[in-house]
């Protein structure tokens, strides 16, 4: 993709600048960023799926190769110690000349232990960034994941480069292909397992390549927020379908959710109302705005829908103040998105790591930081008919305000969530998900 080659030099320059700035503040000479290594299954000769250290894949699109290292100091050409073993049991990743390779001094390693010869012998002023403290200790690092350095990188990770925008757009394009395939499978009365297969085929990625375990929920299973069971048998009747599924590109994630009704019924009307609300909330992502306020606005808008559809007979503002909406909507409006699905830095007031706590009434918010340009968010309002919360509501002082017959009729649908991925530019918003024509 030509856009990758066009924007990658500026991306590397930005990472070099950030590295140079924080190393100077912390009197650290350089960083050794470890891609990580695969964990072995207990009492077995198999390994768990490998997931790359996000600090590593921020620099370059190597996401599936363990035992690699980056040595960076913000000034010199970064060194990439690339693990390329002699292995007839597994396919070995080969480095090819691509848009990114010229920016690294690449040293090949046939054995993971060869990194000792590549790393400086004196590591007293060097810091290790990675998941394996035991490896760092064995190699002689004194500084392991320094908090000030991690806070700095996590805070600035919220500001995406143009290269990262290209990667996020492509991840969204791939995910939309999967969502369209999954929607078609639902209306063909497929099982959850069959819909999952259709999604993966549409994306062109396996279960270990997509950024998280897909939520593919039919009927009442949509009331389980992180449902990943995937029933193999189709239900006797298809009522509803909620899919929360993403895709990866160069280590960047898409995170998209849609909900469908099998019939043109009142549940379909509720989906339409939620979709209109979701679009309005997405337009509220303006530089200088408050993500917390947007979440609270979500509750007010949701309360109006709850009243409009006759679930609860109470004015919207009163419904929010009394906490009734939380029984139907127990999670936050969204989160930062990037190298990780729930990207770092969402609770940070500054690069020192000062935390901005979520309001007591909204403990499940994943982001409290102010909205700024160059940031990427998900917007994912929902409404659910979850037995646990409805039982609590039935025992509360507000129980008499609820139309329980109406609520009970909607339990079979499980719930609704609609989620888009949106870039905040200085002068406009870019809804990547909708731009690829996912209604």
């Amino acid at each position: 993709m030509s856009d990758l080659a066009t924007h990658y030099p500026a991306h590397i320059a930005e990472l070099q600048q950030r590295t140079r700035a924080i190393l100077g503040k912390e009197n650290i000479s350089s960083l050794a960023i470890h891609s990580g290594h695969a964990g072995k299954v207990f009492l077995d000769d198999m390994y768990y799926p490998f997931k790359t250290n996000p600090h590593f894949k921020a620099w370059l699109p190597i996401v599936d190769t363990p035992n690699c290292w980056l040595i960076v100091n913000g000034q010199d050409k970064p060194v990439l110690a690339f693990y390329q073993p002699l292995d007839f049991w597994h396919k070995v990743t080969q480095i090819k000349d691509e848009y990114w390779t010229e920016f690294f001094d690449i040293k090949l390693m046939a054995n993971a232990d060869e990194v000792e010869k590549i790393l400086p012998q004196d590591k007293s002023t060097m810091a290790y960034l990675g998941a394996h403290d035991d490896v760092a200790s064995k190699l002689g690092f004194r500084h392991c994941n320094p908090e000030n350095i991690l806070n700095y990188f996590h805070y600035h990770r919220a500001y995406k480069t143009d290269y990262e925008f290209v990667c996020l757009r492509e991840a969204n394009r791939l995910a939309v292909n999967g969502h369209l395939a999954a929607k078609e499978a639902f209306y063909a009365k497929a099982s959850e397992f069959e819909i999952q297969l259709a999604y993966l085929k549409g994306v062109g990625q396996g279960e270990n390549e997509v950024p998280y375990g897909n939520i593919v929920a039919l009927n009442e299973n949509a009331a389980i927020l992180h449902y990943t069971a995937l029933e193999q048998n189709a239900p006797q009747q298809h009522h509803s379908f909620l899919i929360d599924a993403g895709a990866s590109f160069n280590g960047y994630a898409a995170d998209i959710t849609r909900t469908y009704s099998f019939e043109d019924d009142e549940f379909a009307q509720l989906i339409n109302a939620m979709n209109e609300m979701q679009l309005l909330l997405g337009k509220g992502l303006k530089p200088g705005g408050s993500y917390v306020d947007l979440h609270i606005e979500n509750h007010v808008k949701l309360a109006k829908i709850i009243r409009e559809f006759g679930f609860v007979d109470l004015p919207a503002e009163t419904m929010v103040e009394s906490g009734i909406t939380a029984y139907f909507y127990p999670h936050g409006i969204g989160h930062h998105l990037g190298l990780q699905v729930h990207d770092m830095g969402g609770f940070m007031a500054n690069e020192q790591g000062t935390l901005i706590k979520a309001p007591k009434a909204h403990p499940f918010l994943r982001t409290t930081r102010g909205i700024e340009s160059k940031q990427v968010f998900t917007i994912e309002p929902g409404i659910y008919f979850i037995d646990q919360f409805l039982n609590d509501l039935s025992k509360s002082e507000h129980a008499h305000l609820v139309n329980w017959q109406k609520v009970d009729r909607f339990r079979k649908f499980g719930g609704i969530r609609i989620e888009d991925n949106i870039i905040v530019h200085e002068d406009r918003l870019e809804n990547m998900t909708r731009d690829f024509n996912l209604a």
Side-chain angles (χ1 to χ4, degrees), residues 175 178-183 195-196 199 212 214-217 222 241-246 256-260 417-419:
H179 275 262
L180 294 175
K183 177 183 177 181
I195 294 173
Q196 164 79 335
Y199 180 88
Y212 57 95
N214 291 343
I215 298 169
V216 178
F241 171 41
L242 186 153
I243 176 168
D244 185 335
I256 300 171
T257 309
R258 288 295 185 271
T259 309
Y260 304 99
R417 184 165 63 255
I418 300 171
E419 176 182 19

Side-chain angles (χ1 to χ4, degrees), residues 140-158:
F141 284 95
R142 298 182 187 178
H143 307 283
C144 184
N145 294 316
E147 185 177 2
N148 289 347
I149 291 178
L150 291 181
N151 283 338
Y152 181 90
F153 283 131
H154 291 164
Y155 178 79
H156 287 280
R157 189 193 292 178

Side-chain angles (χ1 to χ4, degrees), residues 359-377:
K360 281 188 176 182
H362 305 281
F364 300 114
L365 261 174
R366 294 187 184 274
T367 296
T368 53
R369 182 172 172 174
I371 302 166
E372 299 179 69
S373 63
K374 297 186 178 181
Q375 295 179 341
V376 181
F377 296 91

Side-chain angles (χ1 to χ4, degrees), residues 207-219:
E207 286 186 339
N208 294 329
E209 295 175 282
V210 292
Y212 57 95
N214 291 343
I215 298 169
V216 178
L218 294 175
N219 300 344

Side-chain angles (χ1 to χ4, degrees), residues 33 65 115 130 191 208 234 254 272 287 314 329 354-355 378 384 426:
I33 307 174
T65 307
V115 72
S191 69
N208 294 329
N272 290 336
L314 201 64
Y329 177 41
T354 303
L355 294 181
T378 69
Y384 309 91
E426 187 64 42

